[in-house]
Amino acid sequence: IVSPLAVKRELNLTVDIPSELPSFLVDPIRMKQVLYNLLSNAIKFTPPGGRVRLTARRVDDLVEITVADNGPGISAEELPRLFQPFEQLEAGLRKLEGTGLGLSLTRRLINLHGGEIRVESEPGRGSRFIFTVPLNGRPASKPALVPADSSPGSRPLVLVIEDDAAAAELIAAELGEAGYAVALTDQHHALEKAETLDPYAITLDLMMPDIEGYAILGQLKRSRTARRVPVVVVSIVDDSSHALLMGAAEALVKPVPKGKLIEAIERGRRLEGLTPLPRILLAGPDPVPCLRALERLAGACEVFPVGRLTPGLAVFTYAPPDLAIAIAGGSAISGEILDALATPPLASARVIIVGDGVMVPAALEGRVAGVIPSAEVEAKLWPLVHAALPTRLSPLGTLPDRPALLGKLEEIARRGALAEVALIVVTLPGPASLAPQRLEKLLRRRDFVACLSPSRYVLLAPQTLGEDIPGLERRFLEAIATAANCQSSALELKVVFGSPDDELSPEDLVGFLAAGGSS
């Protein structure tokens, strides 16, 4: 498979596998992916005329496989970053395009086989990637499902419900390529995670031990907080009619063709009528500084960092981006990004360019909102984004005030149901400030929340709807803490109930809340 790549770059590719090497147990598809990632990287980073060598040998009860090249090598300072997601190192004097997920996924797949990977390299002397796998297969103990990206910042978060760690990791890798943040959970914590993480979408396996996927789907669709989140079933079971009948947005059968999962997620949100927040495409190498700079806009916009545009653009099939941030490699934007910016769905998006010494291409004149040097991204990017989308991000959001709360209570009082009302009051610490639009998103814009002062917020819960008041308290407290970017332990929470004897009028109740009382 990789031989044509080596021939094209005029490289000498050799394979040395001893005849006495014993058979060993692996997942053939995943091991093929590991070998392809390592060999294609070696070929990509080795200059023409160089050599790449694949060797294998037995070491005790392990098989040791090595991919070596005589390319530019890697400095000691860069080695610790090598297996981190979204990290790409220099290839000679330029950065190569890619997602920055290849080596991270490679290490994860090797670990799932019970093996390890290491690298030996120094500048000017090439690199050797060496990994091992047990002769008799992975140890019987099942690897823990490791959560990922539980604090997504401004990226939309997809919750993956899957009991098999390898399958979950592969789904997470595809979603990561398209710019989503990912949280992984098993069937035992699915509902809890769905209700607390406020996911953008959910993927669900049907075949899991102990708790069937259909049972989880039913719980999700009955949940007050998670019922509108689109659920895409991803399973080896082809039972799409049953899944759709129970409320799934779509049902896909493993193995899922590339791009189909992303299309299903976005189609599901569209069919659910979920209006997207301002959408920002982040394209180019090393998106991490830009992501950090945009964290303060979390809840006010959706940011999709993509290394390769081919899978990433599927995200915008139904809702094009409002803004594209093009990260230059060196002093120029890649041709792939320029071509994409000239055609739908990116053709109408405003553009911000990040890079040093970058000239604005003629094709983008009139669309560029600004050019930012790499060193100034964290200070200048978010104000520039705010200025580029004035009608979408300004103001960041508004909440009903005291008169609106009074009007709501008077409406309830006319029905004689004031005694069945719960008012949940959260008071922020003095220095904290809250992003209202972020709070509205966390509460799904369905709860009536009023702002009595810059530090005091009230959620109105009519108990006639059978509210779980303790659960609502917890969710409101967590949402306020997230929107205010502070610890929930720093907040003061009180619950006030209407008077069964009608001793308190709506005005009395609101005045009582404004004064900080509880009853």
Side-chain angles (χ1 to χ4, degrees):
I1 293 174
V2 299
S3 291
L5 301 176
V7 171
K8 184 177 180 180
R9 290 186 56 80
E10 301 176 356
L11 301 178
N12 179 24
L13 175 62
T14 60
V15 178
D16 182 8
I17 300 177
S19 58
E20 65 272 16
L21 186 72
S23 298
F24 55 103
L25 184 64
V26 295
D27 180 324
I29 294 176
R30 305 309 165 211
M31 188 53 57
K32 180 178 176 181
Q33 186 175 3
V34 166
L35 291 172
Y36 178 82
N37 285 349
L38 294 178
L39 286 167
S40 61
N41 267 357
I43 291 169
K44 182 167 59 175
F45 282 84
T46 301
R51 62 182 182 274
V52 175
R53 187 181 185 202
L54 171 67
T55 61
R57 63 176 184 147
R58 178 173 181 169
V59 180
D60 299 325
D61 58 348
L62 303 172
V63 174
E64 181 184 270
I65 300 172
T66 302
V67 175
D69 65 65
N70 65 341
I74 304 166
S75 69
E77 294 79 23
E78 291 180 316
L79 283 175
R81 297 168 44 206
L82 199 59
F83 293 100
Q84 297 301 312
F86 297 114
E87 291 285 357
Q88 288 185 289
L89 308 186
E90 300 290 339
L93 299 177
R94 64 191 180 95
K95 275 192 175 182
L96 297 171
E97 292 297 327
T99 64
L101 288 167
L103 286 177
S104 173
L105 177 59
T106 296
R107 180 176 65 175
R108 182 67 177 142
L109 290 175
I110 291 169
N111 290 344
L112 287 170
H113 278 86
E116 296 180 350
I117 185 170
R118 69 182 191 275
V119 60
E120 298 173 355
S121 184
E122 58 182 284
R125 303 195 64 177
S127 303
R128 298 174 74 238
F129 285 82
I130 306 157
F131 71 93
T132 59
V133 291
L135 273 173
N136 297 317
R138 189 185 68 190
S141 59
K142 189 173 182 178
L145 200 61
V146 180
D149 289 330
S150 57
S151 299
S154 51
R155 289 179 294 159
L157 183 138
V158 177
L159 177 63
V160 176
I161 303 172
E162 172 66 72
D163 73 310
D164 183 85
E169 195 70 26
L170 292 173
I171 293 173
E174 179 172 0
L175 294 173
E177 279 188 344
Y180 302 99
V182 181
L184 311 179
T185 190
D186 59 22
Q187 63 273 38
H188 302 289
H189 303 91
L191 183 62
E192 173 193 352
K193 293 295 184 183
E195 292 184 333
T196 58
L197 291 179
D198 183 37
Y200 182 87
I202 295 170
T203 74
L204 173 65
D205 186 13
L206 293 179
M207 302 299 291
M208 295 180 289
D210 302 327
I211 304 176
E212 191 180 57
Y214 286 120
I216 296 173
L217 181 57
Q219 291 173 350
L220 292 171
K221 290 305 160 185
R222 290 191 298 271
S223 167
R224 182 178 182 276
T225 58
R227 62 176 177 245
R228 292 196 65 199
V229 179
V231 178
V232 177
V233 167
V234 182
S235 180
I236 61 171
V237 178
D238 187 0
D239 192 9
S240 58
S241 58
H242 189 189
L244 295 174
L245 187 63
M246 291 192 63
E250 195 151 342
L252 305 176
V253 180
K254 297 177 182 178
V256 180
K258 193 78 169 179
K260 292 296 184 183
L261 177 58
I262 296 163
E263 292 176 10
I265 287 172
E266 293 300 323
R267 184 162 50 245
R269 285 188 62 84
R270 178 172 176 263
L271 293 175
E272 189 64 44
L274 296 171
T275 305
L277 294 170
R279 316 188 95 202
I280 300 174
L281 170 67
L282 188 54
D286 195 13
V288 175
C290 293
L291 281 172
R292 283 198 299 263
L294 295 175
E295 280 186 359
R296 64 196 310 166
L297 293 177
C301 64
E302 297 166 349
V303 180
F304 296 84
V306 300
R308 291 187 300 117
L309 290 172
T310 303
L313 290 185
V315 168
F316 303 106
T317 302
Y318 302 105
D322 301 273
L323 180 69
I325 300 174
I327 305 172
S331 60
I333 303 171
S334 76
E336 181 192 21
I337 294 176
L338 285 176
D339 291 343
L341 290 172
T343 56
L346 307 186
S348 61
R350 299 208 68 190
V351 180
I352 293 174
I353 298 174
V354 174
D356 300 314
V358 182
M359 300 294 293
V360 176
L364 297 181
E365 287 184 0
R367 293 173 57 191
V368 175
V371 179
I372 305 175
S374 301
E376 300 178 14
V377 163
E378 296 206 29
K380 294 186 175 180
L381 181 58
W382 80 267
L384 193 55
V385 168
H386 205 280
L389 302 173
T391 60
R392 299 299 310 275
L393 290 179
S394 297
L396 282 180
T398 57
L399 287 172
D401 55 9
R402 178 172 175 160
L405 176 61
L406 183 59
K408 195 77 171 178
L409 288 171
E410 288 174 344
E411 177 186 334
I412 295 171
R414 285 194 295 271
R415 301 197 304 265
L418 195 59
E420 299 177 355
V421 162
L423 298 161
I424 302 174
V425 187
V426 171
T427 304
L428 301 181
S433 61
L434 180 142
Q437 189 167 353
R438 188 176 190 186
L439 176 62
E440 290 179 44
K441 178 177 182 291
L442 290 168
L443 293 173
R444 302 200 166 278
R445 305 178 186 272
R446 291 195 298 269
D447 299 294
F448 186 86
V449 179
C451 175
L452 290 190
S453 71
S455 63
R456 186 166 295 149
Y457 297 85
V458 181
L459 186 146
L460 173 63
Q463 287 183 277
T464 51
L465 298 180
E467 294 287 359
D468 170 19
I469 297 300
L472 195 58
E473 287 178 43
R474 183 178 65 254
R475 183 164 61 86
F476 187 42
L477 188 68
E478 291 171 351
I480 291 278
T482 301
N485 196 28
C486 64
Q487 296 294 323
S488 58
S489 58
L491 306 178
E492 178 186 353
L493 182 140
K494 295 179 180 178
V495 180
V496 179
F497 291 92
S499 168
D501 299 324
D502 292 327
E503 294 175 355
L504 292 177
S505 68
E507 288 186 0
D508 292 333
L509 270 176
V510 173
F512 193 63
L513 299 178
S518 64
S519 172

